[in-house]
Amino acid sequence: MTVAASPLPAPLANGIRARLRPASLLLPGLALALPLAVVAALGLGAMPVAAERVLLALAAGLGLADGAALPAHEVAVVLDIRLPRIITALAVGAALAVSGALLQALFRNPLADPGLIGVSSGAALAAVATIVLGGPLTVWAGYWALPVAAFTGGLATTLLIWRLARVEGQVDVATLLLAGIAVNAIAWAGIGVMSFLSDDQQLRSLTFWTLGSLAAAGWEPLAPALPLLLLPLLPVLARARDLDLLSLGEEQARHLGVEVGRLKTMAVLCVALAVGAAVATVGPIGFIGLVVPHLIRLAVGPGHRVLLPAATLGGALMVLLADTAARTIAAPAELPIGLLTAGVGGPFFLALLLHRKGRLGA
């Protein structure tokens, strides 16, 4: 009998089976809500476009219909301005939510999040330094300069946090959060220094960018960012069973045939790449990686076979809704999307801490 083919331990398998019914409703529900939200987002904004005109413009863009009946400016708004922005929002949301789920599995703690433990701020610092100090490098590398720099910063921060949080071979939660606070403080101090060194044009860009915004989204910057956002999700989705076993502990997972070292390496690289690309594309957007996986875990349980695809859809939907609200609440002006996600995620994080405190009887 091959060890790697061992079934899930009975307690974990029973817990997953107990959640199958909610899971069977959640995934189809998210899959149905997402295209509806896309059509709504394409029509909402400073210049509203009716849903039937949105669908006609999409069909015309695919060559399935004649768009001559539509005004040229409506076609341009739907296909050239809003559609690339929406695709960017979907990809960023999926990348951040899956990264959060992966970090929570890796650290075996539901409080792990790319923003809370400093991964996002480390990626942001590297991207800001590239904008201010890159000079000829950014001209030569083009749109690849920011994703590569942010990936490097996110990877270095992830490895540092991992090293600091390990105590006697185990990840200590208190050390994890404290290290994240320290790394966030250092990174934002560095971002402040870069802002001080920047010129007026760079400062205007950085001020809005560091709050998170999809205002600069377009087809040209989306082309290099999309593979970096989505490709890291593929190996993660294929390792759902190994992540389930890892929740039992590294030693138990190793005895059940999981190559723990290779799994952790894959997880760290995927998180760094996805978060780095997300930060480089739209700036830091907090709490998506915390809120979405945690809500889904409460609904369907800890099984990653359902959790990971549901987090992919849920993260995409949440960022899309947040961005749609950001550009319609104060239209024609728009709010930074990071303000909205922080406004929702902050109270959620406090509620989660209070819930854990009550459960522990503190």
Side-chain angles (χ1 to χ4, degrees):
M1 182 175 61
T2 304
V3 174
S6 301
L8 292 176
L12 184 58
N14 292 336
I16 293 174
R17 281 195 294 268
R19 303 286 186 143
L20 285 180
R21 186 172 180 180
S24 66
L25 299 176
L26 179 64
L27 283 175
L30 289 173
L32 177 63
L34 201 57
L36 295 177
V38 168
V39 173
L42 285 170
L44 294 173
M47 191 189 76
V49 181
E52 61 272 15
R53 290 176 174 267
V54 167
L55 295 175
L56 182 58
L58 291 175
L62 295 173
L64 302 177
D66 183 9
L70 293 177
H73 67 277
E74 286 191 355
V75 176
V77 165
V78 171
L79 297 183
D80 298 330
I81 298 177
R82 292 180 184 167
L83 185 57
R85 179 170 181 153
I86 286 171
I87 294 175
T88 302
L90 296 176
V92 167
L96 292 177
V98 173
S99 296
L102 191 56
L103 283 177
Q104 290 168 12
L106 195 63
F107 290 110
R108 297 194 298 279
N109 188 276
L111 300 182
D113 168 77
L116 292 175
I117 66 173
V119 179
S120 295
S121 58
L125 174 59
V128 167
T130 302
I131 292 173
V132 177
L133 304 176
L137 176 63
T138 58
V139 176
W140 174 78
Y143 286 110
W144 288 99
L146 281 183
V148 170
F151 164 69
T152 304
L155 176 60
T157 306
T158 305
L159 294 176
L160 176 62
I161 294 294
W162 178 268
R163 182 70 177 269
L164 293 175
R166 290 184 68 84
V167 178
E168 297 180 354
Q170 300 294 325
V171 175
D172 181 70
V173 177
T175 305
L176 169 69
L177 294 178
L178 291 174
I181 292 172
V183 168
N184 273 320
I186 294 170
W188 284 107
I191 291 173
V193 172
M194 292 297 105
S195 299
F196 179 78
L197 297 175
S198 62
D199 56 35
D200 290 342
Q201 181 179 357
Q202 293 170 339
L203 182 60
R204 284 194 297 269
S205 174
L206 292 179
T207 299
F208 198 70
W209 182 83
T210 51
L211 296 175
S213 172
L214 280 82
W219 291 117
E220 192 174 2
L222 179 62
L226 196 59
L228 297 176
L229 288 167
L230 297 182
L231 287 180
L233 306 185
L234 299 180
V236 173
L237 295 173
R239 302 296 293 272
R241 177 184 175 277
D242 289 347
L243 292 172
D244 286 340
L245 295 176
L246 186 63
S247 66
L248 302 174
E250 292 185 11
E251 288 300 322
Q252 292 86 339
R254 189 174 289 109
H255 288 316
L256 291 168
V258 178
E259 297 181 357
V260 175
R262 181 176 296 181
L263 178 63
K264 292 192 296 185
T265 301
M266 179 273 294
V268 169
L269 290 175
C270 287
V271 168
L273 182 58
V275 173
V279 170
T281 304
V282 301
I285 298 180
F287 292 104
I288 298 296
L290 171 68
V291 173
V292 174
H294 198 78
L295 288 177
I296 292 174
R297 188 177 287 106
L298 291 176
V300 301
H304 289 84
R305 184 175 62 86
V306 176
L307 175 63
L308 292 176
T312 302
L313 297 175
L317 181 61
M318 178 168 284
V319 173
L320 175 60
L321 294 177
D323 181 58
T324 303
R327 60 184 175 83
T328 56
I329 289 176
E334 66 176 66
L335 297 174
I337 186 175
L339 296 181
L340 293 181
T341 58
V344 174
F348 178 86
F349 183 59
L350 290 176
L352 179 59
L353 289 177
L354 292 175
H355 172 73
R356 289 172 61 85
K357 180 179 178 181
R359 188 175 61 183
L360 294 174

